[in-house]
Amino acid sequence: MVKDTLIMSRKPLQEQVEQALAEIVREALATQQTVQVPGLGVFRIERRPARRRPVKEGGAEFIPPRNEILFTPRT
Amino acid sequence: MDLGHEIAQRLRCSPETAAALLEEIVRDIRRKATQGETARLRNIGAFEARGEGLIFEPDAGLAEIVNAPFAGLPAIPLAAPAPIPRKTDEAPQGGRSAPARGDLPSARRKPLPTRARSRARAPWIIGIGLAIVAAGAWLLLANRMESPGAQSERPSASATSAPAPQDTPASSLQDTAPASTALSPAETDQPASEAKARIAPDTLAAATGTTDPLAARPYADDPLRGAEPIDRALGGYTIVVASETNEQRARGWAEGWRKQGFRTTVLPHAQDGATLYRVGVGQFALLEEAARVRDALMGNALPQGAWVLRI
């Protein structure tokens, strides 16, 4: 009974931690920062610059830049 | 960044509790992935086991957030260069003519006969010669007619030819300040030497009181900086430094860049029923020129995400 009560009380806090973790990771990546989650891995942003890509019909198109999310798992 | 402490601060709990719960979450993700399931971390993405490690697939929302600076930027088609017409079947029958150079494969390409080469060059040589003679005659005539006091009495180029961009009424310009608000070095964050170099052409023209007719070009001397407004009618290319869905905020950004001495514009762009306002700095005639400036200044004077857009 006591154990169940403890589990019940910890559940919302665990959800809150998960939510806070998501917020921290999102905020860090949005500002191009690297964030390390202990035991899981490292999230970082790599910028892919704009480029010119040839198209089959002739000519080319200008592809705008983008940010890519990279994850390196902890080994 | 100590994640445990950061979480503890946000949740107002002890760092030990936060670290323990974080460890539990990570352990749960690893356990699910090891069992071949997809472990999902809400608002971040999904993890799956591959080999000995994990692979991560970010949520669409997260990818959208990190790409916010480039939101709504479509791929821009670049027109293919016009094909060069090839000379075929134009040689008169029975006449001596060399085959067109483009018709031969490069490995079998032979040099044109000497007479054919000289025939092909003749119009060019005559044209260049005539141009040199005309230029010399014009210079001679100009030197003879010009008296020492005539320069100040001569009407300026803006009075005789098409109006210079400074004469354009401010009401017809979008998002730029009047030309009279020239920036002094003290008003900018730029070093004094740079600001001096930037305003040198205008200052020189004002000091001497002369206007060179050849200087009345459609594009500004300095495509990136200066008080001269960006004329969208001229076209060309600009460097986008910010994109906003709110026009006022976009104009605020543009004003900030203008105060730093940049020529700015705000370009509205319709996207999925909404309007995106792009803040551009500079006006360049050539895409290559804009890209070169962007590459040179990106990370210093320009933000990392700056990109080139056709005006």
Side-chain angles (χ1 to χ4, degrees):
Chain A
M1 183 66 186
V2 174
K3 191 180 175 186
D4 286 350
T5 311
L6 277 174
I7 290 170
M8 288 287 284
S9 65
R10 279 181 67 180
K11 187 71 178 172
L13 188 57
Q14 186 168 351
E15 280 180 7
Q16 286 177 34
V17 170
E18 194 176 326
Q19 194 177 343
L21 172 66
E23 280 175 12
I24 291 167
V25 171
R26 286 161 79 96
E27 285 169 15
L29 294 181
T31 51
Q32 319 276 313
Q33 290 176 32
T34 299
V35 58
Q36 182 174 9
V37 180
L40 190 64
V42 177
F43 297 91
R44 65 188 169 90
I45 294 291
E46 196 161 291
R47 183 177 177 276
R48 304 282 183 225
R51 60 197 168 90
R52 177 191 165 111
R53 182 174 66 185
V55 292
K56 284 181 183 174
E57 295 78 18
E61 60 181 1
F62 191 76
I63 306 296
R66 66 190 171 88
N67 288 328
E68 193 168 334
I69 303 163
L70 298 181
F71 173 70
T72 309
R74 188 192 68 94
T75 53
Chain B
M1 180 196 298
D2 186 343
L3 214 52
H5 272 90
E6 182 72 25
I7 292 171
Q9 271 188 353
R10 292 191 182 208
L11 300 181
R12 293 178 184 171
C13 65
S14 71
E16 291 78 18
T17 310
L21 288 169
L22 182 62
E23 196 180 328
E24 201 170 311
I25 291 167
V26 169
R27 202 182 310 129
D28 194 40
I29 290 170
R30 284 198 166 275
R31 183 181 53 77
K32 276 187 182 172
T34 312
Q35 289 172 355
E37 296 175 32
T38 301
R40 188 164 290 281
L41 198 52
R42 209 180 308 159
N43 294 331
I44 295 185
F47 299 87
E48 282 179 15
R50 179 170 294 178
E52 293 190 359
L54 289 174
I55 58 164
F56 170 66
E57 183 63 36
D59 271 357
L62 181 59
E64 199 174 312
I65 284 172
V66 299
N67 277 295
F70 318 121
L73 304 184
I76 302 169
L78 303 171
I84 301 168
R86 300 171 69 179
K87 287 184 180 177
T88 51
D89 305 330
E90 286 181 4
Q93 288 188 351
R96 289 179 62 194
S97 66
R101 302 194 92 184
D103 294 344
L104 291 174
S106 59
R108 295 193 299 142
R109 193 174 289 166
K110 293 178 183 175
L112 293 173
T114 312
R115 282 182 62 189
R117 268 188 291 175
S118 58
R119 269 208 309 268
R121 283 180 189 161
W124 285 101
I125 293 169
I126 292 169
I128 292 169
L130 282 174
I132 291 170
V133 169
W138 182 82
L139 278 173
L140 201 65
L141 206 62
N143 280 339
R144 284 192 179 179
M145 290 184 69
E146 194 169 22
S147 64
Q151 198 171 19
S152 59
E153 293 163 12
R154 196 171 53 187
S156 68
S158 61
T160 55
S161 60
Q166 286 87 342
D167 298 329
T168 310
S171 59
S172 70
L173 301 172
Q174 195 183 8
D175 68 51
T176 51
S180 59
T181 58
L183 293 168
S184 68
E187 289 170 330
T188 67
D189 297 329
Q190 307 298 325
S193 59
E194 191 180 342
K196 187 180 175 185
R198 185 153 43 81
I199 62 170
D202 296 338
T203 313
L204 185 67
T208 56
T210 59
T211 309
D212 183 2
L214 296 175
R217 299 182 305 171
Y219 283 93
D221 286 336
D222 188 342
L224 186 64
R225 298 174 192 274
E228 194 165 340
I230 287 178
D231 187 353
R232 291 186 61 188
L234 281 178
Y237 297 85
T238 188
I239 301 173
V240 176
V241 292
S243 297
E244 281 283 353
T245 50
N246 183 300
E247 186 178 4
Q248 287 306 315
R249 273 164 49 192
R251 294 203 179 280
W253 280 110
E255 181 62 18
W257 283 94
R258 195 190 65 75
K259 282 180 180 170
Q260 289 183 47
F262 288 93
R263 302 174 63 208
T264 62
T265 186
V266 176
L267 302 168
H269 172 73
Q271 177 83 28
D272 298 333
T275 306
L276 195 66
Y277 297 91
R278 295 165 175 169
V279 181
V281 295
Q283 185 173 28
F284 304 86
L286 299 173
L287 173 65
E288 290 78 7
E289 188 187 5
R292 186 173 48 76
V293 170
R294 189 255 341 247
D295 292 345
L297 299 180
M298 198 159 59
N300 298 318
L302 298 177
Q304 278 293 343
W307 59 285
V308 176
L309 174 70
R310 185 159 36 184
I311 295 177

